Amino acid sequence: MATLPQARLRALSFWQKMAIGLSAFILFAFAQFGLRGFVDYAHAPLVMHLHGMAMVAWLGLLTTQSLLAGRSGPSSGGLALHRRLGWASAVMVPTMVVLASALCLTALKLHMFPPFFTPAYFLALVHVEAAFFALLVCMAVSRRGQSDWHKRLMIGSTIILMEPALGRLLPMPLIVPWGEWVSMVIQLGVVLLIVRRDRREFGHTHPATMAVAMVVMLSHVIVELLAVTPWWIALATRMAA
């Protein structure tokens, strides 16, 4: 006989499991990094704490929204609440982008970024990821009336957020300069889970899933290109001065 937790897990949809699993993975990656003593929270700048709180709030909203979307019965009111809460993203997404940028610039000035990253690479990494995260969320909101597009794009935006989490789990000092590509392969592995779901549901890969895969690959390529572009290197050097 199945236990109550097992029964509840089976009752979750694929998309609910993806939202919960990715959120738990990201939170675990940051939590273990801090518990291992790699972050001095007592002397961390205020923007780091604000950024962390915004990230946790966003993952909480994502998980809540996925659970509410599953309660779409006529008497549950879950979908209506899901739509009302969805407008919180109009405030949260720009706030997260601004905080990510502010944290990056502060870290550059205080030389708090990983020593195996160049200033140009770190500047590109944070801003490119923030931009593509916001892009996918905006695309998802614009497609909120098409649930097949909306949920794939929202999960895709969370796959983008996996990169900084992977940076805290993978042995980055040992795999430089391949760390960027290792992270990309892992993220694309998660996209393949959606591809498998698409093929079961539609018999082919959904266009939204292909868009997510392209964004994941493009984000890593742009980061690598910017990191070796002279004008970007000069910009990062000035910011780190």
Side-chain angles (χ1 to χ4, degrees), residues 193-208:
L193 297 178
I194 306 176
V195 170
R196 186 174 66 175
R197 172 74 180 186
D198 288 349
R199 293 186 180 276
R200 289 178 179 175
E201 187 174 348
F202 304 110
H204 58 85
T205 303
H206 194 281

Side-chain angles (χ1 to χ4, degrees), residues 21-95:
L22 288 173
S23 298
F25 172 81
I26 294 169
L27 291 174
F28 167 77
F30 280 86
Q32 63 82 35
F33 194 73
L35 291 173
R36 288 161 60 196
F38 291 116
V39 182
D40 183 5
Y41 290 108
H43 299 92
L46 176 62
V47 67
M48 179 179 292
H49 298 289
L50 294 175
H51 174 70
M53 288 189 290
M55 181 67 70
V56 171
W58 175 261
L59 295 176
L61 177 64
L62 173 76
T63 301
T64 301
Q65 288 289 73
S66 68
L67 294 173
L68 287 173
R71 295 168 53 196
S72 55
S75 61
S76 68
L79 193 57
L81 181 58
H82 170 91
R83 288 169 176 163
R84 288 197 297 271
L85 283 177
W87 289 110
S89 63
V91 176
M92 292 189 67
V93 170
T95 299

Side-chain angles (χ1 to χ4, degrees), residues 47-48 50-51 54 91-106 126-127 130-131 133-134:
V47 67
M48 179 179 292
L50 294 175
H51 174 70
V91 176
M92 292 189 67
V93 170
T95 299
M96 291 173 65
V97 171
V98 170
L99 286 173
S101 178
L103 175 59
C104 176
L105 299 179
T106 301
V126 174
H127 286 86
F133 161 75

Side-chain angles (χ1 to χ4, degrees), residues 12 28 52 61 118 130 132-133 139 145 156 169 178 203 218 230 232:
L12 295 174
F28 167 77
L61 177 64
T118 65
F132 278 115
F133 161 75
M139 290 173 63
L169 283 172
W178 307 109
L218 188 60
W232 186 266

